[in-house]
Amino acid sequence: MAPRCDGLSDAAMKDLMAQAEKLPISTVVFVVALQAEALPLVDKLELIQDDKPPFPIGMPWIRFYGTYRDLFINVVCPGKDSTLGVDNVGTIPASLVTCASIQGIRPDLIINAGTAGGFKAKGASVGDVFIASSVAFHDRRIPVPVFDLYGVGTRKAFTTPNLVKELSLKVGNLSTGDSMDMSPQDEELIIANDATVKDMEGAAVAHVADLFKVPTIFIKAVTDIVDGEKPTSEEYLQNLPAVTAKLTQSVSQVLDFISGKCLSDL
Ligand code: FMC
């Protein structure tokens, strides 16, 4: 579990974080938007659902937990919309559940795992699993000096050169927006973000994790090709089950690699 940092000076906080980087990783929180993405992982790791999750009463957020090797694993999902019954996808639910999970679980590491659209022009194919090197938004356009940069909100992911090498994962930038389709304005910013994959949560999770200084990695499996011929939603729904299985397989390989290691070994 990560140390408490409340009330520390910047220098003391840096010192504490440097020390934490040299301790074996113990508590991992997976932020997963869809239950269809989370459940295969929950089954594989034999996690159980927390009937008293560390969240405010009445929230739809769900937590599964258990141990895998020497790791304390938590899978948190933003749950379902109370009126429509669909998963709470997108940046607002992802931010809220990330914030509550950091406060309630105090992870050493956050992993935002999920599906994404990929750009074939940047080398993505359906079923590829990417580790994001950086994340940014593509639908927060604020044409005022400095606010423009704030809107894009580019953040580096925690760097994992050894993990990427060992598992031969693809690496690319991730661009996040609250729409699954892509308007011409979104496209312009996605290109400016030099993104290979596009999702609806990553940069929001990064924003919150950065506030609390929790290292975060992003594992995204490609369900649809954004610059391809097939309509996005059709391709997404068709590929979701098989791609989710690939995501689960990669995530468990990632956990095998992480087990027994410190953050600085990744
Ligand atoms: N564009 C944006 N998001 C997604 C995508 C695409 N082409 N394919 N898959 C996704 C992810 C989002 O992050 C959501 O969690 C979910 O799948 C779609 O609602």
Side-chain angles (χ1 to χ4, degrees):
M1 196 180 272
R4 289 204 75 93
C5 309
D6 314 351
L8 290 180
S9 69
D10 279 2
M13 175 106 153
K14 263 199 183 145
D15 208 39
L16 198 65
M17 282 166 63
Q19 282 174 36
E21 283 216 4
K22 295 194 184 93
L23 294 173
I25 298 164
S26 151
T27 303
V28 179
V29 164
F30 283 93
V31 178
V32 183
L34 294 175
Q35 283 182 55
E37 294 162 341
L39 292 179
L41 183 62
V42 166
D43 286 347
K44 175 141 194 162
L45 303 179
E46 298 179 0
L47 307 180
I48 53 169
Q49 186 168 346
D50 189 351
D51 57 5
K52 284 203 180 74
F55 303 140
I57 291 167
M59 293 302 111
W61 313 329
I62 297 171
R63 175 207 188 202
F64 302 93
Y65 69 98
T67 50
Y68 178 73
R69 300 175 66 150
D70 55 344
L71 298 168
F72 177 45
I73 306 289
N74 300 266
V75 173
V76 298
C77 301
K80 305 271 183 185
D81 180 88
S82 59
T83 312
L84 301 170
V86 293
D87 294 281
N88 286 316
V89 297
T91 60
I92 295 172
S95 307
L96 291 170
V97 79
T98 302
C99 187
S101 301
I102 293 173
Q103 291 179 301
I105 305 170
R106 288 169 47 211
D108 301 311
L109 177 68
I110 292 176
I111 301 178
N112 174 217
T115 55
F119 292 85
K120 68 170 190 242
K122 300 282 291 173
S125 308
V126 168
D128 282 349
V129 180
F130 279 86
I131 292 270
S133 38
S134 79
V135 298
F137 292 98
H138 55 253
D139 61 356
R140 304 199 318 174
R141 293 175 289 275
I142 314 172
V144 176
V146 192
F147 281 100
D148 51 358
L149 295 175
Y150 164 79
V152 174
T154 307
R155 285 182 172 81
K156 285 227 152 302
F158 187 75
T159 46
T160 57
N162 299 322
L163 171 80
V164 164
K165 198 167 160 203
E166 176 83 11
L167 303 187
S168 310
L169 293 167
K170 289 192 166 185
V171 179
N173 293 341
L174 171 65
S175 196
T176 299
D178 268 304
S179 299
M180 197 179 187
D181 67 359
M182 184 173 69
S183 69
Q185 282 169 310
D186 288 349
E187 186 174 11
E188 222 175 272
L189 265 175
I190 288 170
I191 292 168
N193 290 340
D194 195 22
T196 306
V197 277
K198 158 184 185 289
D199 80 342
M200 296 172 65
E201 293 86 17
V205 173
H207 173 96
V208 179
D210 192 24
L211 292 175
F212 290 91
K213 301 289 169 240
V214 183
T216 304
I217 62 179
F218 304 84
I219 305 177
K220 298 284 161 174
V222 176
T223 41
D224 51 275
I225 295 301
V226 187
D227 52 349
E229 284 76 47
K230 296 190 187 152
T232 297
S233 57
E234 216 174 275
E235 198 177 18
Y236 166 81
L237 288 172
Q238 189 187 336
N239 292 325
L240 186 62
V243 170
T244 299
K246 280 204 87 173
L247 176 68
T248 305
Q249 192 190 347
S250 294
V251 164
S252 54
Q253 287 170 350
V254 167
L255 287 176
D256 287 336
F257 181 83
I258 286 176
S259 162
K261 292 199 174 59
C262 331
L263 287 166
S264 54
D265 294 333
L266 301 185

